[in-house]
Amino acid sequence: MDMSRRGFLALAGAASAMGLAACRGNGKSDKPEDVKVNPNEYKKLAIDDSAWNYDETNDCYYQLGLPYCTDPAAGSYESLAIYVPGAYFKGEKSGSTYRCKIAPDARVGSFTPKTAPVVMPINSARLSAQSCPTAYSYDGLGTYLKKGLVYVYAGFRGRSGGYVSDSSEQYSGGAPWPVVDLKAAVRYLRYNAGSLPCNAKRLFVFGYGAGGGVSACLGALGDCGIFTPYLSKIGAAMHDADGKSISDRVFGSASWCPITSYDTADSGYEWMMGQFAEDGARADGQWTKALSDDLATAYGKLVNELGLTGADDKALRLEPVQDGSYLSGTYYDYMLQTIEGSAEKFFSTTSFPYTYTPGHLVDPAFPGDPNINSDSAVEIDVMTGAVEDASGTGEKDADAAADGVAAASGASSSPAGAAAADGSAAAKSGDDAGAGAASAASGVAVVQSTVYNDAESYVSALNGDDRWITYSPSAASVTITSMWDFVKHCRPAQKGVCAFDALDRSTTSNQLFGVDDESSLHFDETVATLLGDNADKYADLKGWKDDLVSDWAQDIVKLDSLKTDMQSRVNAMNPLYALSGHYAGFGSCEVAPHWRINTGLFQSATALTADVNLAVALGAYDGVKDVAFTPVWGRGFELAEASGDAQENFVSWVTDCCK
């Protein structure tokens, strides 16, 4: 299995103190040697070749409601739908359905039934449970099927548990069940590879927000031993009828604005954005200001343990400056260069006059389930992806907006796409400015367009009263004075301190690590350690509550229904678990060879740190063939693309990966 050579060497000094075993860890592949097994163990998962439905108008065969494990906890979620280009099958009508055989000589786009890839969306930005479609619609599927791709829409349990329909029986949800369920879906497709017109090894997953984080986990944690007891619990296919083990490794992972690596999500947020804020929970005298600074420092120290290296094999590290803040070093330089590079790409590809219009992402965004339509979808604010509050309690749950109104931060977008701290409407800039949507209901962001006649007016609007960014057309270069200046103008902190593991356990991330009846729990060990070590210091400042120490200490030792500890569950939602020698799973998993990671550079739902760390770790990992990492200047929490349509760009990328 693949291991990062460069990452390993970067950690050699640190690993010597612990021994090589600590670096490789105890992670075990979930792909054992083939053994004698019951060939009929998963027979009930076999696809019925005579049960295909056919859409003659659009030439599409499909099946809905296929259970992908033998002992599902929640059948409406643990099942999938398959949509196949009609040319790949020879169908013979059999009653109300069709008996289908693979048409070996067929071709759609650049693919045949032997080469066609499978794509599987993770269609939830906030990791709400995704049901299997119960009805059919072709809307949106043509983008994929007309290019020869097989489209699989798999349901999965989300960030919380629930109750089986018409029953008082409770099923578990939260980490790591969304990843487990989708791994079972991958195994189901491999089990039925002989009946499907596709190359089951060429399986791509794609998602956005927290769904993008799950896509990254599926990409990095193939055949990871953490998931073995969970897969066994639901009866996922572990071998085929001949006793050959089945892998859940995927071929490619794509994500937009992925939310992942929850062990560093809070500290990374404070290092990237929180430590530069001076109001609300981060105002002088507030105990949360001290926690913010301590989290930023903790992140600086952690980065130096990750063993990250740049393209030149140079270690990416952070160093403290005169006040102890970790704002110097090769890692800081790399982050700033990443931001400047994104700006340079923007100027090199943008024609002026340029119209900036904040977009809004609708959750869900991908096709396959007609039960989800514009009336039931929730709009997520382009800047944050949540209803948020910088007062100190962290991210707020946007599902309260499930009535269809936009979920927003309460702050509007500035001309360059940053959030206005006072919540006012965006100020018009440039010689020309066109107003967009009028004000909406209370709590919903006002969106308007702004037209910039030339690069000079755009840069002037970005700078305002401070000259922090310059652009040289002749040199095609951008210079940014500091990360602080970029954050202040384009990516200010809008979540409270402990942005993900909130003080009051109010975030969707707290729900993700809840356990059954205890549906929302603390999970961040870094916060727990800081609270325990610094309680006396924090107690002398405003707003401190003595029970916070015990709240975290009690939660992080909780076990789930399979007696798995909190740290293992956090690892199961962290792609770096397999990619960095800092973690026990390093080198133990099957990692996807192809990666596409896009993120809106002006969004404040997460820190840029997680995206950069993932891309850098993948770039140094042996066996990873390509990593297309694109931080998109001027875009927020959305399907951020430098140009073109996100889904069409994704299909083109999949096609290129299969050449």
Side-chain angles (χ1 to χ4, degrees), residues 197-220:
C198 64
N199 182 339
K201 292 182 179 179
R202 290 179 167 181
L203 198 150
F204 294 79
V205 290
F206 62 109
Y208 58 110
V214 169
S215 175
C217 290
L218 290 167

Side-chain angles (χ1 to χ4, degrees), residues 451-529:
V451 180
Y452 301 92
N453 281 345
D454 49 41
E456 182 180 358
S457 64
Y458 180 69
V459 172
S460 177
L462 286 168
N463 279 323
D465 296 331
D466 305 316
R467 188 173 182 177
W468 62 275
I469 181 171
T470 57
Y471 166 59
S472 170
S474 59
S477 65
V478 170
T479 301
I480 293 174
T481 55
S482 71
M483 195 170 69
W484 182 89
D485 286 320
F486 166 75
V487 167
K488 175 183 176 182
H489 290 86
C490 298
R491 195 175 179 138
Q494 290 200 321
K495 293 185 176 184
V497 180
C498 296
F500 294 86
D501 191 353
L503 307 182
D504 60 0
R505 305 184 184 92
S506 63
T507 74
T508 54
S509 301
N510 289 123
Q511 294 175 21
L512 178 62
F513 293 100
V515 175
D516 297 331
D517 290 335
E518 295 182 284
S519 60
S520 187
L521 293 173
H522 291 303
F523 57 87
D524 192 328
E525 287 196 0
T526 300
V527 176
T529 299

Side-chain angles (χ1 to χ4, degrees), residues 5-85:
R5 180 185 69 258
R6 283 183 277 166
F8 182 87
L9 291 175
L11 283 167
S16 63
M18 301 177 287
L20 182 59
C23 191
R24 280 197 64 89
N26 297 319
K28 296 180 180 179
S29 172
D30 207 17
K31 192 177 180 182
E33 294 295 326
D34 299 335
V35 295
K36 291 184 178 180
V37 294
N38 176 6
N40 296 318
E41 185 174 1
Y42 304 112
K43 187 176 180 179
K44 63 188 295 186
L45 297 180
I47 287 179
D48 184 351
D49 292 337
S50 66
W52 289 96
N53 300 287
Y54 182 55
D55 172 4
E56 184 175 2
T57 301
N58 296 294
D59 195 19
C60 170
Y61 286 98
Y62 63 94
Q63 288 199 43
L64 310 177
L66 299 171
Y68 55 65
C69 52
T70 61
D71 193 16
S76 62
Y77 297 116
E78 291 162 299
S79 50
L80 55 77
I82 304 177
Y83 306 92
V84 177

Side-chain angles (χ1 to χ4, degrees), residues 121-158:
I122 304 163
N123 204 14
S124 176
R126 295 173 66 76
L127 219 54
S128 301
Q130 178 170 298
S131 297
C132 175
T134 57
Y136 168 76
S137 171
Y138 188 76
D139 289 348
L141 294 177
T143 300
Y144 304 87
L145 271 60
K146 289 180 180 179
K147 295 295 185 179
L149 282 60
V150 173
Y151 193 87
V152 174
Y153 195 105
F156 60 85
R157 285 170 286 175

Side-chain angles (χ1 to χ4, degrees), residues 27 107 113 126 131 144 193 368 394 400 413 437 442 446 500 555 620 656:
R107 177 172 290 274
R126 295 173 66 76
S131 297
Y144 304 87
S413 298
S442 176
V446 177
F500 294 86
D555 283 4
D656 288 342

Side-chain angles (χ1 to χ4, degrees), residues 240-512:
D240 63 17
D242 297 324
K244 295 181 180 179
S245 63
I246 295 176
S247 171
D248 55 46
R249 180 192 192 189
V250 301
F251 197 61
S253 169
S255 58
W256 293 265
C257 301
I259 299 175
T260 185
S261 296
Y262 291 91
D263 62 327
T264 60
D266 289 316
S267 57
Y269 196 91
E270 296 310 309
W271 181 83
M272 176 78 189
M273 296 177 286
Q275 66 174 318
F276 302 130
E278 299 174 344
D279 56 2
R282 300 176 180 92
D284 286 342
Q286 297 290 331
W287 83 268
T288 41
K289 168 60 175 175
L291 177 60
S292 172
D293 292 342
D294 290 341
L295 279 168
T297 297
Y299 182 78
K301 295 177 180 179
L302 175 63
V303 162
N304 296 338
E305 298 175 3
L306 292 179
L308 301 175
T309 58
D312 57 358
D313 286 351
K314 187 176 182 179
L316 300 181
R317 296 180 57 82
L318 281 169
E319 306 296 339
V321 295
Q322 73 283 348
D323 64 356
S325 302
Y326 280 76
L327 290 175
S328 182
T330 51
Y331 183 88
Y332 175 89
D333 295 341
Y334 189 90
M335 292 290 293
L336 195 58
Q337 290 164 9
T338 298
I339 296 167
E340 289 176 335
S342 177
E344 288 173 354
K345 183 175 182 179
F346 169 82
F347 283 108
S348 68
T349 58
T350 299
S351 298
F352 287 86
Y354 160 65
T355 302
Y356 170 74
T357 304
H360 278 78
L361 179 65
V362 175
D363 183 17
F366 304 124
D369 188 353
N371 296 320
I372 302 172
N373 54 43
S374 58
D375 294 331
S376 61
V378 176
E379 289 186 26
I380 296 180
D381 183 74
V382 66
M383 293 304 305
T384 61
V387 177
E388 297 170 12
D389 174 13
S391 64
T393 56
E395 171 193 7
K396 294 300 181 182
D397 193 341
D399 285 351
D403 58 356
V405 300
S409 65
S412 302
S413 298
S414 75
D422 60 359
S424 61
K428 300 175 185 177
S429 298
D431 295 333
D432 246 333
S439 61
S442 176
V444 178
V446 177
V447 178
Q448 64 182 23
S449 298
T450 307
V451 180
Y452 301 92
N453 281 345
D454 49 41
E456 182 180 358
S457 64
Y458 180 69
V459 172
S460 177
L462 286 168
N463 279 323
D465 296 331
D466 305 316
R467 188 173 182 177
W468 62 275
I469 181 171
T470 57
Y471 166 59
S472 170
S474 59
S477 65
V478 170
T479 301
I480 293 174
T481 55
S482 71
M483 195 170 69
W484 182 89
D485 286 320
F486 166 75
V487 167
K488 175 183 176 182
H489 290 86
C490 298
R491 195 175 179 138
Q494 290 200 321
K495 293 185 176 184
V497 180
C498 296
F500 294 86
D501 191 353
L503 307 182
D504 60 0
R505 305 184 184 92
S506 63
T507 74
T508 54
S509 301
N510 289 123
Q511 294 175 21
L512 178 62

